[in-house]
Each structure stands twice: as C-alpha cells, then as structure tokens.
Amino acid sequence: MMEVTSERRGSTVIINTAGRVDGSNASDFQDALEASIGAEDGAVILNLGELDYISSAGLRIILLSAKNLRQRDVGFSICSLSPSVHELFIISGFDQIIAIHSSPESALAAQES
Amino acid sequence: MAEASYKILVVDDEVDLEPLMLQRMRRDIRSGRYSFVFAHNGIEALEKLNEDDSIDMVLSDINMPQMDGLTLLEQIPTVDPNIKSVIVSAYGDMKNIRTAMNRGAFDFVTKPLDFADLRITIERTLAHLTEWRAALASRDQLVSLQKELDVANKMQKSILPTSFPRRDDYEVFAHMEPARNVGGDFYDVINLENGRIGLCIADVSDKGVPAALFMMSSRTLLKGASIGCDNPGDVLREVNDLLRETNDTEMFVTLLYGIFDPASGDFTYANGGHNEPLLIRPDGSSSLLPRTGGIILGVMAGMEFAHNTVNVGPGDTLFLYTDGVSEAMNVTAEEFGMERLAAIFAETPPSDAEQTTMAVFKAVHTFAGETPQSDDITCLTLHRSESGS
C-alpha cells in the first residue's frame, strides 16, 4: 500500500513516497521517514509524486517531521503533489508553513538559493 | 432504582440567594436529587471543598470579596480536578465570561437568575459529570485499546448537544455517527448576543482518550472565545494560540466556526483547515462557500484567520460536514464524493434541517453498504424558512 525510498543529491536527501498513507500505516510512514534521514543531511525533500492518498494522520507525520527538522535547522520541503493531495495541503493551510515545489529539481534549486 | 443525588456548592456574596435557591429548588431537594452547600467568597468555597469531598459541582458568582470567582476557578482543580463549575455573571459581561470559559468553566448563566434555565444548566453539567466519571472509572481499568476507544466515544458523545434551535425563522439539526476505531468529530451550537448563534464543526486528527481530551479542550476554548466576539477569525486565532500553549503531542483539529444572524441571514465564518460548508439554494442547487484559507488549529501559534460573510437567503440551507461524509468508501474503494452529496440536495431541495441531515446519512450508508465505516460521520444543517422571518 505504501512504499518509501530515498536518494541523495549532495547534502540533500530526497524521499519518495508512493501509495496510500492513512491511520492504518501512519506510524510505519513515520518510521520510514526517520530511517531515511541521516544525521549529516542538510536538507530533506519529500517527493509525493506517486502518493495517491494521505489522511490527516499522515499529514500529522509530515508536520512532526517538518517541526523536528526545523529545530535541527535542516531544510524541509515537499514536491510533485497531485491535484488532490495539493488540494488537501491548501485546505489544511499547511501550504502556509511547508514549502511546496512542482518538482524535485525546483525544490533542489530553492534549497541552494 | 433511586435517582442519583448530587451536592452543589453555591458561592455568592449575596446572602439573599441562599433562601431563594432553597425555595426555588425545593422539589429537587425534597426528592433528594440536589443538596446545596453555600459559601460567600472564594476562600470560604475552597474551605468547604477541602472539608467535604462529596461536592459534585460549583455554581459561583464572579465578583466577590476576598477571593473572586475567576480566581476560585483556577484553584478548584488543585482540590479536585473533576469538579465541574458553572459561573454566574452579570448579563453581557462577556470579558469575564470568556475568562471563565478559558479557565475551564463548563458553562455559565447570567443574572438575574432564571431558575428554569439554571436547572437545565445544572442537569447538563451533571450529565456531563456522570459521563466524565464513568470515563475516568473505565480508564482506570483499561485492558485493551478497544476499551479505551469506548471511553473516548463516551466522552465525545457527552459534549455533543442533542437539542437544537427549531424556530419559525430558522432551524438547526446535527448528528454524529462514530466509527469503530476513530473518534474525533464534534459540533456545537452556541447562543450569542442579539439572537445570533455560533455554529461549529470540527475533526480532531487522532483517536483514543488523548484525542478525546484534546477535543474537550478545543470545545471549551471555542465556547469561551466565541462569547462576545463578532469576528470568527479572532475566535479561531484565540483558540489556536491557547491550544498551542498546551499541545506537546502535535495533535490538531480542523474547525470551522461561523456566526449566523437570523435577522439578516448573514453567516460570517472563518476556517481552521476544515472542509468548506455547502450553501444550498431553494431549487436544490448548491455551491461551496468561498475559501478563507486558515490553517488547522493546534499546529502553530500566532497565525491569523481571515473571515468571510455569505447571505443565507429565505429558503436557503447551510450544510456543514466532516470528511467522513465525502470520503466514505464503498466495496470497490470508491469515495462518496461531493457530486453524490450535491445530488441528494438537487433531488430533494432541503425544507427541514433534521430530514436533510438524516437523508445524507441514509445516502452514505446505502453507498457504503457492507464496507466498515472508517471515520466519524458528522453533519450540521441550518435551514432558513421561506418567509425568512
């Protein structure tokens, strides 16, 4: 149902999440995110391009990660949202506190600027 | 079975209140349902609470010598955190009422006392207290998550109003059906000044007892902030900031709050990350209210919330709901969606708040079939009469 993979570009880690995140697997999602982020990473980009659905339980995990990383002074952004997932970020107002980019490339460019 | 009996501590510096209360409540005293203890200021009240642990609730005036009612409210939890308090204030003293609600008062009544209304308020408070105690008692003997969820469901139910305004010019109806393993929705209907009412619908992100407690504080903070405040955006800002002060679990709540003025039909609302309500015209056509763009409450302090006003014309209906409606699934994992919702109203244009609410539940149940309900389903409907007055 949910798959999390990661790749590194310099000091930035890009985490790709695919499938469905809801109340039943939100804690797995949290574990997978934490496992993907190394102590040396300077920035994290969460690529949601292959994400079909995310519930409020999943949003909460993204929020927790964003706050943890902010405390550690690590950059955090998300990218490649499908229209329905983007809609959810707008309705929830999370677009006001989490940077959203159209692609991993533009997210990377924003990290560097 | 004998009815339960409750002991109420009345705190007021006016000595005349004691004989008046005993006289007006004599039937409930005679039947053994109520007994009263009296104190004349906050300090005396604390002494009574300390020496008598059978007191169930406190009814307190605000302005008193030595220790006032607002200070008393802060002190009560140090004696017993499970005592519920109702505050008596001067009519229109919104500043003190809001402070009292923010300090955990369960409800308030205004002077001069209307004893019929006071009795209803006392009964509501005691009903809540009973649920609350049952929840606490069950919590002590939790053996499984399921039991905890049952407790949460009970706490959730105890805060939902079950009687609604039903008047010639408008009527309100609301209903919530909890899911088996998620419980986070709530709604409220709040009486405001000049005949206006506050409407709220909300969805807490998590489940279980911590979420239920978060729901209770959200509900109390909203009620406190809503009194005497004409701007729903300011109300949400206050609730959000207060929720952040105590939120270390990163729970959050989507909450839409609006004020309906029956005189003009205006509905002024602000949104903390919740689904926009639908405005349904008398011909059954419907549209989502314009977005105001606020963030979910409890996430970050210091956020601003914009508000917007729409006019609910004669014969129009406002429909507030949670995502348990739009995201209900059928056996093929298809979502109920907004189109099916709009189709219900298009087919039968709403003319009655209760019928409309229950028609949506029926349609969602028929659609879902045997698929277990995965989220709470909550709807709140306001219908303005054709005549509009």
Side-chain angles (χ1 to χ4, degrees):
Chain A
M1 284 291 262
M2 176 197 71
E3 201 184 343
V4 176
T5 58
S6 61
E7 56 193 285
R8 288 206 155 61
R9 304 267 183 95
S11 64
T12 299
V13 58
I14 301 178
I15 304 175
N16 305 299
T17 305
R20 224 184 125 79
V21 179
D22 58 24
S24 71
N25 60 10
S27 60
D28 300 338
F29 179 50
Q30 183 170 19
D31 294 344
L33 286 187
E34 282 168 8
S36 305
I37 301 169
E40 303 299 312
D41 289 324
V44 175
I45 297 170
L46 186 60
N47 181 353
L48 302 179
E50 301 293 318
L51 187 73
D52 301 320
Y53 174 83
I54 184 162
S55 76
S56 64
L59 280 185
R60 179 163 164 263
I61 303 304
I62 294 182
L63 176 70
L64 278 169
S65 304
K67 289 199 165 178
N68 278 334
L69 293 170
R70 186 168 299 164
Q71 274 176 4
R72 286 162 44 193
D73 221 12
V74 175
F76 180 75
S77 58
I78 57 178
C79 70
S80 314
L81 279 60
S82 72
S84 63
V85 172
H86 197 198
E87 176 93 352
L88 188 65
F89 274 84
I90 292 171
I91 291 177
S92 63
F94 281 13
D95 60 331
Q96 297 169 41
I97 54 168
I98 296 174
I100 300 178
H101 299 281
S102 56
S103 66
E105 288 70 32
S106 59
L108 274 171
Q111 299 285 12
E112 280 154 17
S113 65
Chain B
M1 204 178 84
E3 259 199 304
S5 67
Y6 294 96
K7 194 180 277 185
I8 302 164
L9 172 63
V10 180
V11 193
D12 199 311
D13 56 333
E14 287 177 47
V15 286
D16 292 345
L17 183 66
E18 183 167 340
L20 186 63
M21 187 71 76
L22 294 174
Q23 202 267 337
R24 291 301 189 91
M25 295 292 178
R26 62 188 182 280
R27 280 162 71 185
D28 290 305
I29 296 171
R30 214 181 298 136
S31 74
R33 182 156 179 82
Y34 299 166
S35 60
F36 288 94
V37 184
F38 293 87
H40 303 97
N41 60 60
I43 290 177
E44 210 185 309
L46 286 176
E47 284 168 7
K48 299 262 165 143
L49 287 169
N50 268 314
E51 61 191 47
D52 185 349
D53 63 8
S54 63
I55 292 170
D56 300 290
M57 72 170 275
V58 173
L59 177 70
S60 177
D61 191 18
I62 291 180
N63 297 316
M64 292 178 294
Q66 295 189 59
M67 183 194 284
D68 65 24
L70 296 175
T71 312
L72 173 63
L73 270 179
E74 285 187 319
Q75 295 295 319
I76 289 173
T78 64
V79 181
D80 181 349
N82 297 315
I83 289 179
K84 299 291 165 194
S85 306
V86 171
I87 217 80
V88 185
S89 84
Y91 183 79
D93 184 4
M94 294 306 163
K95 190 166 173 284
N96 277 331
I97 292 171
R98 293 179 62 176
T99 306
M101 298 299 291
N102 288 342
R103 290 185 182 180
F106 179 74
D107 211 335
F108 67 92
V109 290
T110 53
K111 285 180 174 179
L113 279 175
D114 169 349
F115 281 88
D117 180 51
L118 176 63
R119 195 178 178 283
I120 292 169
T121 305
I122 290 176
E123 283 301 314
R124 259 180 51 96
T125 309
L126 295 177
H128 173 76
L129 184 70
T130 308
E131 289 286 2
W132 175 257
R133 283 181 179 160
L136 286 176
S138 318
R139 198 188 169 179
D140 288 339
Q141 35 175 287
L142 279 184
V143 289
S144 68
L145 177 65
Q146 193 49 53
K147 216 163 190 171
E148 174 161 327
L149 293 170
D150 288 345
V151 171
N153 282 345
K154 274 188 194 161
M155 288 166 67
Q156 178 183 21
K157 279 202 177 131
S158 75
I159 64 165
L160 298 177
T162 48
S163 68
F164 305 99
R166 205 178 169 93
R167 303 157 33 115
D168 289 341
D169 52 346
Y170 75 91
E171 49 169 31
V172 175
F173 190 81
H175 186 60
M176 187 277 303
E177 286 185 4
R180 259 330 263 165
N181 55 4
V182 185
D185 286 7
F186 70 95
Y187 57 79
D188 208 353
V189 181
I190 304 165
N191 288 313
L192 301 171
E193 285 174 297
N194 304 323
R196 296 170 310 160
I197 51 166
L199 301 176
C200 141
I201 190 154
D203 184 355
V204 173
S205 64
D206 217 322
K207 57 187 173 182
V209 168
L213 290 168
F214 190 75
M215 182 192 316
M216 311 270 278
S217 21
S218 307
R219 173 257 179 204
T220 305
L221 291 174
L222 176 77
K223 200 162 179 187
S226 65
I227 307 297
C229 183
D230 291 338
N231 181 341
D234 290 347
V235 171
L236 293 198
R237 191 186 58 209
E238 181 170 338
V239 174
N240 181 49
D241 287 347
L242 288 165
L243 279 177
R244 269 315 302 170
E245 276 177 21
T246 51
N247 186 3
D248 45 18
T249 53
E250 296 303 339
M251 263 185 272
F252 52 69
V253 57
T254 71
L255 192 154
L256 185 129
Y257 172 69
I259 299 170
F260 174 69
D261 184 352
S264 63
D266 280 351
F267 180 69
T268 303
Y269 63 98
N271 196 346
H274 198 83
N275 316 41
E276 277 81 20
L278 279 169
L279 180 61
I280 308 154
R281 300 299 184 190
D283 66 0
S285 64
S286 58
S287 56
L288 288 170
L289 299 194
R291 269 192 192 144
T292 49
I295 191 169
I296 293 184
L297 307 187
V299 171
M300 184 174 279
M303 302 300 283
E304 295 293 329
F305 295 84
H307 65 275
N308 185 45
T309 301
V310 292
N311 189 263
V312 182
D316 285 354
T317 303
L318 260 183
F319 183 74
L320 284 59
Y321 63 99
T322 58
D323 57 9
V325 175
S326 46
E327 292 174 12
M329 277 191 191
N330 68 6
V331 280
T332 59
E334 199 182 350
E335 287 187 359
F336 187 72
M338 296 306 293
E339 283 176 22
R340 284 188 185 83
L341 186 58
I344 302 171
F345 308 130
E347 191 167 316
T348 313
S351 60
D352 176 292
E354 179 170 356
Q355 278 173 21
T356 301
T357 306
M358 298 323 288
V360 171
F361 276 91
K362 193 172 164 229
V364 170
H365 289 320
T366 307
F367 172 80
E370 297 294 306
T371 314
Q373 186 184 329
S374 67
D375 199 358
D376 293 358
I377 301 177
T378 307
C379 302
L380 187 154
T381 309
L382 177 141
H383 178 70
R384 195 172 177 218
S385 309
E386 284 286 356
S387 57
S389 60

